[in-house]
Amino acid sequence: MNLSNIDSKQDTPRVELDRTFSIAPMLDWTDRHYRYFARLMSAKALLYTEMVTTGAILHGKGDYLAYNTEEHPLALQLGGSNPVDLAACTKLAAERGYDEVNLNVGCPSDRVQNGRFGACLMAEPELVAQCVDAMKQVTDIPITVKTRIGIDEQDSYQFLTDFIETVNAKGCTAFTIHARKAWLQGLSPKENREIPPLDYDRVYQLKRDYPQLNISINGGIKTLEEAKLHLAPLDGVMVGREAYQNPYILAQVDQQLCGIDSPIITREQVIEQMLPYIEAHLAQGGRLNHITRHIIGLFQGLPGSRGWRRHLSENAHKPNADINVVLKAAEFVDAQALAESQA
């Protein structure tokens, strides 16, 4: 392995991240606009980028590391299996100010498998360990791994612990475990998030057997009450789809899970604070629907939420759409019901 063309790791010590609650990396969903929106509701949640491949960062034409400074604490999730490339991308991420780099060992899609990364890497723990080692050599920010509990017929507890021990031996001390195995053939990525049964007990057992590791759990968590139950035996909870489709769940994360005594932001305040961000995006030539597609679930479950969603869906994509579309959509939400929900 030749890392001679990559600078040595930084000497600046880093503050350890709070992994109590994090939002999962979700392709096409957790872009920088969603992350800005999420940060308005929770100061403590650890945010993750969408998975970005090393090839995109090193050879792509766009800036795949761009983010808003308000998003911190922020982790970059990388997809790849070449240690030198992963180290190069990790160094770039550290230079750009990311707080963590996470290696994807959980995505089961065919495209990802063809690139020899994602969940299929569970079958190659020595390679994952080499990748982690190379990444750690170039930075002091945390290098973490997100993985499954198994793949295909390799789904024994021994298989999982062998993987964890091998990767931990190279210095990875924080793992996020999606509590389902992945079927690499026969199921779509969406089906792999729903069909393989959840096995929370296996993740709990992992923490009992390796108490020195930081273990977070992911998969099927829909409420903060459920999150509290998982946090009793574990170090952290990662929530994906629910945090996107019902984003106002984030408004009480700091208070209920992180012990922060601060006012709970209202939905109306969220919209008010999003407006300057939207205007700045539009002023730079962006489209309104680049942002509104992420906030469409803000009023989930309230009277008038259907009107809110419909107005945004029908109008935000239009060429001259501006913040007035958002303000008009908000009028569909029953003001009294909104007030009662926040009382």
Side-chain angles (χ1 to χ4, degrees):
M1 185 187 307
N2 180 16
L3 299 178
S4 59
N5 62 332
I6 300 174
D7 292 344
S8 60
K9 62 185 179 182
Q10 302 171 0
D11 295 326
T12 306
R14 299 277 177 164
V15 176
E16 186 164 347
L17 294 177
D18 183 347
R19 305 179 193 284
T20 302
F21 185 93
S22 57
I23 299 178
M26 293 177 282
L27 196 60
D28 297 327
W29 289 7
T30 51
D31 66 11
R32 61 190 178 92
H33 301 313
Y34 170 78
R35 298 191 306 262
Y36 184 92
F37 170 56
R39 181 60 70 214
L40 293 178
M41 293 176 279
S42 171
K44 297 291 289 183
L46 176 57
L47 305 181
Y48 282 78
T49 68
E50 307 165 87
M51 182 188 70
V52 186
T53 66
T54 55
I57 294 172
L58 297 175
H59 308 297
K61 295 181 179 179
D63 181 0
Y64 291 91
L65 296 178
Y67 66 91
N68 307 289
T69 57
E70 294 87 350
E71 295 173 35
H72 291 291
L74 177 63
L76 170 70
Q77 189 184 63
L78 285 176
S81 60
N82 181 297
V84 174
D85 288 351
L86 285 164
C89 291
T90 296
K91 180 177 179 294
L92 290 172
E95 290 172 347
R96 295 289 290 271
Y98 279 89
D99 301 297
E100 172 189 307
V101 176
N102 177 268
L103 181 60
N104 184 314
V105 190
C107 182
S109 78
D110 291 340
R111 182 177 65 84
V112 165
Q113 290 180 60
N114 291 337
R116 199 188 175 198
F117 57 94
C120 65
L121 285 177
M122 282 200 80
E124 299 185 74
E126 293 290 348
L127 175 58
V128 175
Q130 290 174 27
C131 292
V132 166
D133 185 42
M135 295 161 76
K136 287 183 68 64
Q137 286 183 38
V138 298
T139 185
D140 280 326
I141 67 174
I143 305 301
T144 65
V145 168
K146 185 174 188 289
T147 189
R148 296 275 185 143
I149 58 173
I151 51 173
D152 298 334
E153 301 300 339
Q154 297 173 292
D155 61 355
S156 68
Y157 184 64
Q158 184 69 51
F159 175 76
L160 176 61
T161 58
D162 286 348
F163 175 85
I164 296 295
E165 289 179 6
T166 302
V167 179
N168 171 241
K170 292 299 185 181
C172 181
T173 60
F175 295 84
T176 299
I177 312 294
H178 187 159
R180 290 183 173 92
K181 75 172 182 178
W183 285 103
L184 300 182
Q185 302 294 331
L187 293 182
S188 68
K190 181 178 185 298
E191 290 169 331
N192 260 303
R193 292 191 296 267
E194 299 170 349
I195 292 177
L198 287 160
D199 189 348
Y200 294 143
D201 288 339
R202 183 162 296 190
V203 185
Y204 298 164
Q205 185 64 50
L206 194 67
K207 179 62 183 179
R208 286 194 295 268
D209 292 342
Y210 301 91
Q212 75 279 14
L213 298 181
N214 187 291
I215 303 293
S216 295
I217 195 167
N218 171 232
I221 302 164
K222 295 185 179 298
T223 69
L224 297 188
E225 290 303 316
E226 292 175 29
K228 289 177 185 177
L229 295 176
H230 291 302
L231 286 171
L234 300 172
D235 301 295
V237 169
M238 176 180 278
V239 175
R241 284 169 288 171
E242 193 67 18
Y244 190 90
Q245 295 166 354
N246 183 23
Y248 195 64
I249 189 178
L250 304 177
Q252 295 189 47
V253 162
D254 296 358
Q255 295 80 1
Q256 291 199 30
L257 303 183
C258 302
I260 305 300
D261 184 15
S262 60
I264 298 170
I265 191 170
T266 67
R267 290 175 174 89
E268 291 171 316
Q269 290 170 331
V270 173
I271 293 175
E272 289 171 2
Q273 293 184 37
M274 281 299 297
L275 293 180
Y277 180 82
I278 294 172
E279 288 187 308
H281 174 69
L282 296 176
Q284 294 168 2
R287 300 289 293 271
L288 181 63
N289 63 330
H290 293 165
I291 297 175
T292 55
R293 70 188 187 95
H294 299 302
I295 69 175
I296 207 163
L298 181 60
F299 295 100
Q300 182 79 10
L302 292 185
S305 61
R306 183 178 299 177
W308 157 266
R309 292 194 304 270
R310 183 175 60 245
H311 190 78
L312 290 181
S313 298
E314 292 177 353
N315 296 281
H317 67 281
K318 295 179 179 178
N320 297 318
D322 58 19
I323 61 170
N324 289 308
V325 173
V326 179
L327 295 173
K328 180 63 178 178
E331 294 178 5
F332 287 92
V333 182
D334 187 299
Q336 182 176 352
L338 180 58
E340 291 174 354
S341 74
Q342 297 167 342

